[in-house]
């Protein structure tokens, strides 16, 4: 009886056209919280939840699940979230191979997906989708920035990445802007932890510099082994290989390494200062680039929820597209393919107050989009 | 590709193989003596690495960390043998797989709970840092040579233990007929705990040594465990000698395949495509090797019990 009464009341509210109160937004977050890649997912989640808590908006509900960095598991969780949890939005995936497994089917079911990290080229170009927004970057971007920056100092670079979608995007991106000669090009196994064979090849190749894209534990292993090998070449990479979550594990071997990103803890703007301070106060560590992206993803969603009802997908998408939020990157806007147009910086690993961190040394690109936007017909 | 580079890569393959041997030896010993499939062997590898990293950070000495890793892995091995494994000897392999898989999850989440999700720092000791010159003008890291040395020492030590000592005699007897040696008055339960702790200590040693080269993080044991299983299938289940040869074969195949395949394909392909296709084939190589050996010699190269 009670139920029926509640239901009819609810129906009545809808019939009256509930303008005053927007519907609660239900967000499903699938991210990597266990296994070797967990530190990335934990940082993205912590950044995301920090923004949600700071906003104090109790109309937002977040369901978090762990994909263990396994595509098949991510697909199962996504199905569950769409079908039984009835989420309006999804976010959280770190790895490109998982994003490729989950995103196309999720967006096809009229759920909006906001990527806080993975930005595979396949989803930025011809296969772009109005329900897919990437708040981080297109995968090639960081590598493009490093390729452009490398032109200044180097003529013969050795390049290396894991053999999976983001790895391919990485080396493609680097080569797109790098004008020098390549001393060699290697694809390693994803998750490989011993690089003795590759380091020997680098030594023998006559390279004047090395560019690597090895996220998470792979970057820790390579950088340590490279420093121990006595191969004295300048090392550079995208921020993933030298992000805050792994710097303490690499130790001094990372000092002086150049890496590219759209964000750094010392980036000078109000939103970023507040973010770094709040993150440190809450979690007692410095945020990584993943945490910054998670934080921006949440703020983007919050900004859209202020303006539009999530049940009205058309209006909600338009509100997202406006990107009317204070990004920790300073300025931020979406390109025609729902990927960011932003600045990219070269950072250097330094020791500050007894702690390893990244500091900005130069700007590689200003208002840089991506190479695939033209192929996206949306 | 020059000869010095090839020699360096062979050393790399050997070092990788020797490290795998430390894992595979314990795994095959436990299977040979107790007939138990232990999927949690990789977790003991992780326990060794975490113990070494945290004790080394605390005391400032890698060597104390190394000793702690042996002690912690052996202790963890003994404890799980007493609490869990002991109940599994008489069950079939499927039950063992399930229970030890559960142990992996418990160890991983327990380690995450204790140490957090972020990798730990562990560096090689100053005594072993740097490199030695190889003939031909190249050089090789001293630490990796030390790993090869430790692996060879363990192989010699294990074979002496098994062929020359009273404990080894019991282990061999336990392999062939466990009821008989129990009937002869040997305390078989203590023997099993000892063997399990010994296997665990070897895994812990491998974890500590590898931890200094790679990153010490949750889940680091599983990829190694898969390779260790490949090794014992190739070498022959239950055979220490098989584990040694299998490890070195897998180490060399994996390392040389990774280097030579992209090079070879590069002779008649565009370098970018050769790098990507070569890498894909190289990652399948040891499984192809395993399939070939299983096809022609299903019991493995050095099968223990005939």
């Amino acid at each position: 009886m009670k139920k029926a009464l509640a239901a009819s009341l609810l129906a009545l509210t809808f019939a009256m056209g509930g303008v005053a109160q927007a519907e609660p937004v239900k967000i499903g977050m699938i991210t990597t919280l266990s296994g070797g890649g967990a530190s990335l997912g934990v940082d993205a989640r912590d950044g995301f939840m920090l923004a949600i808590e700071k906003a104090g908006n109790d109309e937002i509900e977040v369901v978090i699940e762990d994909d263990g960095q396994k595509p098949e598991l991510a697909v199962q969780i996504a199905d569950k979230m769409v079908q039984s949890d009835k989420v309006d939005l999804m976010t959280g995936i770190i790895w490109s191979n998982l994003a490729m497994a989950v995103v196309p089917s999720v967006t096809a079911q009229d759920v909006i997906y906001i990527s806080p990290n993975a930005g595979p080229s396949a989803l930025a170009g011809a296969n772009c989708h109005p329900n897919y927004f990437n708040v981080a970057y297109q995968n090639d971007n960081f590598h493009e920035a490093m390729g452009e920056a490398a032109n200044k100092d180097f003529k013969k670079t050795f390049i290396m990445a894991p053999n999976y979608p983001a790895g391919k995007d990485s080396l493609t991106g680097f080569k797109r802007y790098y004008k020098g000669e390549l001393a060699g090009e290697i694809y390693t196994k994803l998750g490989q932890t011993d690089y003795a064979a590759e380091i020997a090849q680098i030594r023998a190749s006559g390279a004047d510099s090395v560019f690597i894209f090895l996220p998470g534990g792979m970057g820790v292993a390579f950088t340590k082994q490279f420093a121990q090998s006595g191969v004295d070449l300048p090392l550079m990479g995208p921020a993933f290989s030298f992000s805050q979550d792994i710097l303490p594990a690499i130790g001094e071997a990372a000092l002086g390494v150049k890496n590219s990103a759209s964000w750094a803890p010392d980036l000078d703007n109000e939103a970023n200062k507040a973010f770094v301070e709040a993150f440190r106060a809450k979690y007692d560590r410095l945020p990584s680039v993943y945490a910054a992206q998670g934080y921006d993803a949440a703020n983007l969603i919050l900004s859209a929820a202020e303006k539009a009802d999530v049940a009205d997908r058309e209006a909600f998408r338009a509100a997202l597209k406006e990107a009317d939020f204070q990004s920790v990157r300073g300025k931020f806007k979406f390109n025609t393919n729902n990927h960011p147009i932003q600045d990219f910086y070269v950072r250097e690993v330094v020791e500050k107050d007894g702690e390893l961190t990244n500091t900005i040394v130069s700007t590689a690109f200003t208002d840089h989009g991506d190479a695939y936007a033209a192929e996206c017909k949306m | 590709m020059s000869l010095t580079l090839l020699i360096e890569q062979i050393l790399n393959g050997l070092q990788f193989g020797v490290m795998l041997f430390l894992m595979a030896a314990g795994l095959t010993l436990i299977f040979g003596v107790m007939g138990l499939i232990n999927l949690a062997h990789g977790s003991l590898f992780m326990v060794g690495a975490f113990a070494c990293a945290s004790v080394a950070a605390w005391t400032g000495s890698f060597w104390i960390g190394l000793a702690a890793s042996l002690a912690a892995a052996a202790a963890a091995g003994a404890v799980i043998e007493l609490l869990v494994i002991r109940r599994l000897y008489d069950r079939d392999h499927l039950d063992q797989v399930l229970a030890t898989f559960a142990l992996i999850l418990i160890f991983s989440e327990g380690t995450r709970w204790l140490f957090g999700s972020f990798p730990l720092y562990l560096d090689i000791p100053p005594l072993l840092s740097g490199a030695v010159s190889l003939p031909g003008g190249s050089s090789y890291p001293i630490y990796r040579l030390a790993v090869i040395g430790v692996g060879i020492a363990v192989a010699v030590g294990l074979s002496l233990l098994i062929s020359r000592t009273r404990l080894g005699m019991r282990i061999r007897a336990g392999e062939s007929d466990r009821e008989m040696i129990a009937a002869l008055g040997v305390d078989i339960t203590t023997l099993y705990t000892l063997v399990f702790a010994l296997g665990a200590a070897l895994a812990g040693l491998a974890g500590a040594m590898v931890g200094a080269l790679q990153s010490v993080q949750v889940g680091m044991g599983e990829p190694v465990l898969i390779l260790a299983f490949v090794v014992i299938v190739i070498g022959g289940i239950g055979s220490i000698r098989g584990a040694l040869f299998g490890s070195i074969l897998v180490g060399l195949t994996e390392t040389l395949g990774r280097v030579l395949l992209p090079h070879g394909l590069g002779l008649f392909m565009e370098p970018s495509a050769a790098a990507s296709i070569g890498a894909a084939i190289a990652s399948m190589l040891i499984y192809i090797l395993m399939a070939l050996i299983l096809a022609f010699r299903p019991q493995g190269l050095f099968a223990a019990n005939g």
Side-chain angles (χ1 to χ4, degrees):
Chain A
M1 190 61 213
K2 228 179 189 173
K3 234 181 194 168
L5 196 66
S8 38
L9 260 178
L10 199 70
L12 209 62
T13 328
F14 276 116
M16 304 281 281
V19 209
Q21 190 70 52
E23 232 189 302
V25 181
K26 195 160 187 185
I27 305 170
M29 175 181 253
I30 304 177
T31 195
T32 306
L33 302 174
S34 65
S39 62
L40 292 71
V42 166
D43 256 16
R45 176 200 62 190
D46 287 354
F48 190 92
M49 292 315 289
L50 178 68
I52 298 286
E53 280 163 36
K54 271 182 83 172
N57 183 341
D58 48 7
E59 293 295 303
I60 305 264
E61 190 190 333
V62 187
V63 192
I64 302 174
E65 296 242 17
D66 173 21
D67 59 36
Q69 210 184 328
K70 295 187 182 79
E72 67 281 5
L73 193 57
V75 169
Q76 279 173 24
I77 299 170
D79 283 345
K80 192 198 76 152
M81 282 183 171
V82 172
Q83 269 140 40
S84 50
D85 295 341
K86 306 259 182 254
V87 298
D88 305 296
L89 290 97
M90 280 177 64
T91 183
I93 295 178
I94 297 293
W95 306 90
S96 289
N97 49 339
L98 274 68
M100 289 305 298
V102 167
V103 172
S105 92
V106 164
T107 49
Q109 293 175 77
D110 204 28
V111 169
I112 295 174
Y113 186 87
I114 315 270
S115 176
N117 191 61
S121 54
L123 297 178
N127 295 321
C128 65
H129 195 284
N131 282 332
Y132 173 73
F133 290 82
N134 189 316
V135 77
Y137 45 68
Q138 193 280 314
N139 276 353
D140 304 11
N141 283 157
F142 283 17
H143 318 286
E144 288 171 346
M146 209 64 238
E148 174 69 24
N151 287 327
K152 240 183 282 169
D153 303 312
F154 306 121
K155 303 222 148 29
K156 198 172 175 193
T157 302
F158 198 102
I159 60 175
M160 182 161 92
N163 202 6
Y164 84 121
K168 301 260 167 83
D169 285 354
S170 156
L171 298 192
T172 311
F174 184 84
K175 287 190 278 189
R176 188 172 292 132
Y177 284 85
Y178 180 63
K179 297 189 186 75
E181 184 193 339
L182 292 181
E185 180 175 351
I186 296 184
Y187 285 106
T188 69
K189 223 186 297 179
L190 185 62
Q192 181 172 319
T193 46
D194 196 309
Y195 294 95
E198 288 75 14
I199 291 170
Q201 291 182 70
I202 291 171
R203 191 206 311 270
S205 71
D208 68 358
S209 53
V210 181
F211 171 85
I212 54 154
F213 162 58
L214 297 166
M218 293 183 274
V220 179
F222 177 84
T223 313
K224 279 168 73 175
Q225 290 165 29
F226 190 72
Q228 290 157 6
S229 72
V231 181
D232 195 17
L233 293 176
L235 189 59
M236 57 186 158
F240 317 116
S241 308
F242 308 99
S243 58
Q244 197 62 47
D245 54 316
I246 55 171
L247 276 183
I250 302 178
E252 282 177 13
L255 278 175
V257 170
K258 298 276 181 15
N259 63 93
S260 53
S262 54
W263 173 87
D266 64 342
L267 190 59
D268 194 17
N269 66 65
E270 282 310 311
N272 194 39
K273 276 195 197 116
F275 161 65
V276 174
E277 212 167 282
F279 192 92
R280 202 200 260 288
K282 182 155 170 52
Y283 304 110
D284 198 27
R285 61 176 198 268
L286 272 175
S288 68
V289 68
Y290 309 104
Q293 289 164 181
Y295 186 79
D296 270 0
N299 277 323
L300 170 71
I301 296 172
L302 288 163
S303 75
E306 291 272 306
K307 289 183 181 171
D309 188 341
V310 74
D312 183 355
R313 291 284 192 268
E314 194 63 41
F316 201 83
R317 275 195 296 261
L320 282 172
K321 188 104 185 178
E322 280 174 43
D324 187 14
F325 70 105
Q326 288 297 312
S327 169
V328 294
R329 282 165 268 183
K331 52 183 186 175
F332 180 99
K333 69 177 179 196
F334 277 119
N335 204 345
T336 49
N337 60 347
N338 292 353
H339 283 62
I341 294 179
Q342 56 188 332
D343 293 353
F344 290 92
Y345 308 96
V346 177
R347 324 187 298 177
E348 185 179 340
V349 180
V350 292
E351 194 167 342
K352 212 191 262 175
D353 309 325
E355 209 174 10
L356 291 172
T357 183
N358 280 290
T359 184
I360 293 179
V361 289
S362 64
T363 304
F365 289 127
T366 314
D367 292 330
H368 186 67
D370 62 82
Y372 305 94
E375 294 164 32
C376 168
K377 306 273 178 279
M378 199 149 64
Chain B
M1 166 169 288
S2 68
L3 187 65
T4 47
L5 184 56
L6 193 66
I7 292 173
E8 201 178 340
Q9 300 296 18
I10 290 172
L11 279 175
N12 284 332
L14 206 60
Q15 181 258 316
F16 184 47
V18 152
M19 196 279 301
L20 277 179
F21 168 71
L22 292 180
M23 283 293 283
L27 204 58
T28 204
L29 202 60
I30 289 164
F31 190 87
V33 178
M34 307 184 258
L36 180 101
I37 295 182
N38 179 23
L39 288 188
H41 205 64
S43 300
L44 298 165
F45 174 86
M46 179 179 73
V47 166
F50 272 86
C52 188
S54 52
V55 171
W58 183 48
T59 61
S61 160
F62 176 82
W63 304 107
I64 300 177
L66 194 65
S69 74
L70 283 169
V79 167
I80 60 171
E81 202 277 339
L82 288 169
L83 291 180
V84 183
I85 306 287
R86 182 160 283 193
R87 295 161 219 284
L88 298 171
Y89 295 133
D90 299 328
R91 312 285 284 265
D92 64 24
H93 288 327
L94 188 63
D95 290 1
Q96 299 173 349
V97 164
L98 269 179
T100 53
F101 183 71
L103 283 174
I104 295 184
L105 301 179
I106 293 167
F107 269 102
S108 290
E109 285 317 297
T111 310
R112 185 187 312 288
W113 182 69
L114 278 173
F115 296 96
S117 297
F118 300 94
L120 295 193
Y121 175 75
L122 174 63
D123 208 356
I124 56 177
L127 183 67
L128 298 177
S129 62
V132 285
S133 304
L134 292 180
S138 187
S139 61
Y140 199 74
I142 297 173
Y143 187 78
R144 288 184 188 268
L145 283 180
V147 172
I148 298 179
V150 168
I152 292 171
V154 168
V156 172
L158 268 183
S159 81
L160 288 179
L161 176 84
I162 287 173
S163 62
R164 298 288 163 79
T165 65
R166 185 168 287 271
L167 176 67
M169 192 177 72
R170 290 180 176 167
I171 290 176
R172 276 180 290 143
E175 263 183 349
S176 12
D177 195 332
R178 67 177 91 170
E179 281 83 15
M180 188 58 89
I181 74 155
L184 288 173
V186 173
D187 182 359
I188 191 102
T189 42
T190 315
L191 177 71
Y192 279 12
T193 312
L194 266 179
V195 171
F196 202 88
L198 175 67
L202 291 178
L205 175 66
M209 288 197 307
V210 164
L213 284 172
Q214 304 175 356
S215 74
V216 177
Q217 60 182 358
V218 174
M220 64 189 285
E222 276 76 71
V224 192
L225 180 77
I226 295 172
L227 289 179
F229 269 112
V230 172
V231 163
I232 67 169
V233 168
I234 288 178
I237 293 165
S239 155
I240 295 284
R241 200 152 61 107
L244 182 62
F245 282 91
S247 302
I248 289 173
L249 191 60
V250 167
L252 287 174
T253 310
E254 158 88 18
T255 307
L256 294 180
R258 214 157 89 199
V259 176
L260 296 178
L261 270 173
H263 265 274
L265 291 174
L267 296 177
F268 52 90
M269 272 169 119
E270 196 237 325
S272 195
S276 146
I277 297 172
I281 302 177
S283 64
M284 294 181 241
L285 214 54
I286 57 163
Y287 301 100
I288 296 173
L289 177 73
M290 181 173 80
L292 282 175
I293 285 174
L294 280 180
F296 294 105
R297 220 180 133 73
Q299 71 276 36
L301 295 176
F302 298 89
N305 304 319

